[in-house]
Amino acid sequence: MSMEEIREPTFLVLAALADGAKHGYALIKEVEGISSGRVTLRAGTLYAALGRLAEGGLIHQSGEEVVDGRLRRYYDLTEAGAEALAAQTTRLRQNVVEADRRLRARARLGKAPA
């Protein structure tokens, strides 16, 4: 998976795993919290993303347990996943800095934000 092609929900899943392993439902809630409710993952979307991330070596299944008769699988970042998240974060931060610079230049010209 190329980090240039990453979509926001996938980025948020990686971010949610940055501070430790989580199971599926916890990831859904974390992504919702990180995005202030803008991104709501459905189970199918989450597990498709987890599959792609695992295939790409960015996450791995780190354990499982049975809770209330249901199997709960835990996922965690690999070192490659942490590096990819850091690289993506840097790329996005650089984009934000440039966008801010251009908006300030626009404001100096007396143009209101679009």
Side-chain angles (χ1 to χ4, degrees):
M1 164 182 294
S2 164
M3 288 308 286
E4 292 295 324
E5 300 170 6
I6 192 170
R7 294 178 181 219
E8 185 178 19
T10 303
F11 174 81
L12 293 172
V13 168
L14 290 174
L17 290 171
D19 61 356
K22 294 179 181 63
H23 58 82
Y25 182 72
L27 283 168
I28 288 171
K29 299 311 280 178
E30 282 283 314
V31 165
E32 189 174 326
I34 291 169
S35 69
S36 300
R38 282 184 310 98
V39 177
T40 303
L41 295 177
R42 296 189 184 276
T45 302
L46 172 66
Y47 288 105
L50 291 173
R52 285 190 308 275
L53 291 168
E55 285 177 16
L58 302 180
I59 67 168
H60 70 278
Q61 187 177 323
S62 60
E64 57 186 33
E65 67 179 337
V66 176
V67 177
D68 295 328
R70 298 184 58 135
L71 182 62
R72 184 180 281 179
R73 289 189 175 97
Y74 289 82
Y75 301 89
D76 204 355
L77 281 181
T78 61
E79 282 305 310
E83 290 170 9
L85 178 60
Q88 183 73 356
T89 300
T90 297
R91 186 184 73 77
L92 291 170
R93 186 177 295 118
Q94 289 169 342
N95 290 345
V96 167
V97 167
E98 182 60 20
D100 281 343
R101 185 189 69 75
R102 290 171 183 250
L103 284 169
R104 284 191 306 276
R106 178 183 178 85
R108 283 192 300 272
L109 295 173
K111 295 181 179 179

